[in-house]
Structures are given as C-alpha cells and as structure tokens.
Amino acid sequence: MRPSGRQPQEIRAVSLERGVTKHAEGSCLVKFGDTHVLCTASLEDRLPPWLKGKGHGWVTAEYGMLPRSTHERMRREASQGKQSGRTQEIQRLIGRSLRSVVDMKLLGERQISIDCDVLQADGGTRTASITGAWVALHQCVEWMTARNMLTASPIKDHVAAISCGIYRGQPVADLDYAEDSEADTDANFVMTGRGGICEIQGTAEAEPFSEDELMKLLGLAKASIADLVELQKRAVA
C-alpha cells in the first residue's frame, strides 16, 4: 500500500494554471499534489555569446527552491555564494527538455528564459517544473505571435515529465516525498507528446533493478505523461 493510498499507476492531482503573474510573457503555477512550482517565461533580446549572429535563438532555464518550500528552512543559495550541484543539474535538465521541442531558427535571435521556483516541495519538483515550464513557454510564444514577432510557432511538440520508482517491490508512478525517500529505485522520465524519449534518469538506491523492471517503469511513465500532455492541451486551449 502506498502511503497516499494511490494505486500503482495513479499520479497525484495535477493542475496547470497559466497567466498567474503580471509581468512575465508567460507563466504557469503547476501543482502535483503538495508539490507547487511557479514557472515564468521571459523573452530577452540577448543570446549567449557563442550564438550571436547565427540566426537562431535559445531557451534556457533556472531553478530554485524557496527557503520554506521544505520541512525545515533552507538557506538561499545566493547567500552561500554559489548554486548547489543539484540545482545546476536540474536547471540544465529543464533547459534540455524544452529545447528538444523548440525550433531555434523559428525563434529568431532571441532567448526565452524559464524560471522555475519551488514554492512547496513534496517530491518530483524537477518533473513538475518541466511540465509547467512548457505551458509558460507556450504562453510566451503566444505573446510573441500576437505582436507579429514570429512567422510560425517554434514549438514542435509537447514535453512533460514524471517520476516513477520501485517502492516496497512495486513499480509506482509519481513518487511523493514519503515514497521517494524510501524507494528502492528512483527514475525520472521526460517525453514528448508523440511519445519520444528526451531523457531517462534512473538510480538504484539499494539492489540494482532489472531490465524488466525498467520497462515496467517506462510503461507507467508513458501512460502518465500522456495524461499530463492532455492537461497541458487544456491549459493552453
């Protein structure tokens, strides 16, 4: 039995509320149960130096957790003078995931920066960030289209993510903190709306997992991400 009482394939209640901030060109408040992340998309007329003059744009991401997003207060990373390795890894994952479904040439010589700020954490913050970031990105592209800044949408497909793992011998979808902290195997799956795999991150916390177990986790992820893509479609409709 899962601590939450959910079935193995059952994800938490998910909501995607777009347009939640006044100033950003795109925004989305994403909730996976008690994990809440604010995603904003900002259009910038600047590029990394190595991209200047090449005729295409860039999508990048930053990620952070508010001090009381967890059970005990964390120090802001800015006060420590550097980002943790975990933070850097997650924001690179978010950026890679979004870039996999964006045509950079259609974007033009512009950069869209996605900020994912964790307001409340209960497991799966990186997967929630990716899922919500796509909605914020989509709204930013709509903003640009309405101002005749684009000849066509650079977004080629949806992208969403889910965590899956083996908890007490059972493959389960969408681990919350209680499960994640005790899981035998923890994995994150990033996939497109058409079912393409962008990234799989999997770790055995105890005994190594088998190929059969990996395929079971992949099956759970595919079904869960298909549901998330439907929620994204409703959010941007």
Side-chain angles (χ1 to χ4, degrees):
M1 175 67 74
R2 303 179 70 174
S4 63
R6 289 182 282 140
Q7 294 299 309
Q9 75 285 0
E10 186 180 355
I11 66 175
R12 292 172 286 181
V14 177
S15 67
L16 297 163
E17 181 184 357
R18 75 171 196 162
V20 294
T21 67
K22 178 179 180 179
H23 301 295
E25 285 75 32
S27 61
C28 176
L29 176 60
V30 54
K31 298 181 181 180
F32 276 52
D34 286 334
T35 289
H36 302 171
V37 184
L38 175 62
C39 305
T40 55
S42 301
L43 176 64
E44 300 178 296
D45 279 324
R46 65 185 182 91
L47 285 172
W50 50 272
L51 270 180
K52 289 182 179 179
K54 294 191 175 179
H56 59 85
W58 192 243
V59 176
T60 188
E62 293 188 13
Y63 166 95
M65 299 180 68
L66 295 186
R68 278 315 302 265
S69 59
T70 53
H71 295 291
E72 295 181 356
R73 185 184 186 275
M74 302 182 302
R75 287 184 63 195
R76 296 182 190 273
E77 291 187 336
S79 70
Q80 301 177 59
K82 64 177 182 178
Q83 290 181 316
S84 69
R86 175 183 179 275
T87 294
Q88 293 181 53
E89 182 239 328
I90 291 175
Q91 62 191 27
R92 288 170 182 161
L93 170 65
I94 298 167
R96 286 195 303 272
S97 301
L98 295 171
R99 289 193 296 272
S100 71
V101 295
V102 175
D103 185 325
M104 298 300 169
K105 288 186 178 179
L106 288 177
L107 187 58
E109 292 196 1
R110 308 178 183 94
Q111 175 170 287
I112 297 177
S113 295
I114 309 292
D115 290 289
C116 298
D117 294 293
V118 179
L119 309 180
Q120 184 170 283
D122 187 36
T125 60
R126 72 186 67 191
T127 53
S129 294
I130 292 167
T131 305
W134 184 91
V135 176
L137 174 66
H138 188 280
Q139 188 179 26
C140 182
V141 167
E142 284 185 332
W143 186 94
M144 296 169 68
T145 301
R147 288 158 179 78
N148 299 314
M149 300 173 71
L150 298 169
T151 57
S153 174
I155 298 178
K156 300 180 290 186
D157 199 355
H158 291 254
V159 67
I162 197 74
S163 64
C164 295
I166 299 174
Y167 176 75
R168 296 184 178 176
Q170 174 73 56
V172 297
D174 192 23
L175 282 69
D176 55 27
Y177 178 78
E179 294 171 327
D180 186 45
S181 61
E182 296 184 11
D184 298 321
T185 296
D186 179 22
N188 298 300
F189 296 83
V190 186
M191 302 179 71
T192 69
R194 298 187 183 97
I197 297 172
C198 301
E199 191 149 344
I200 298 175
Q201 301 176 332
T203 304
E205 302 291 349
E207 291 296 318
F209 55 93
S210 67
E211 182 179 346
D212 180 61
E213 288 172 323
L214 174 61
M215 296 311 295
K216 288 179 179 177
L217 294 178
L218 178 59
L220 288 172
K222 289 175 69 175
S224 299
I225 287 174
D227 290 340
L228 294 175
V229 168
E230 287 303 313
L231 290 173
Q232 287 178 333
K233 290 178 179 178
R234 294 179 202 170
V236 302

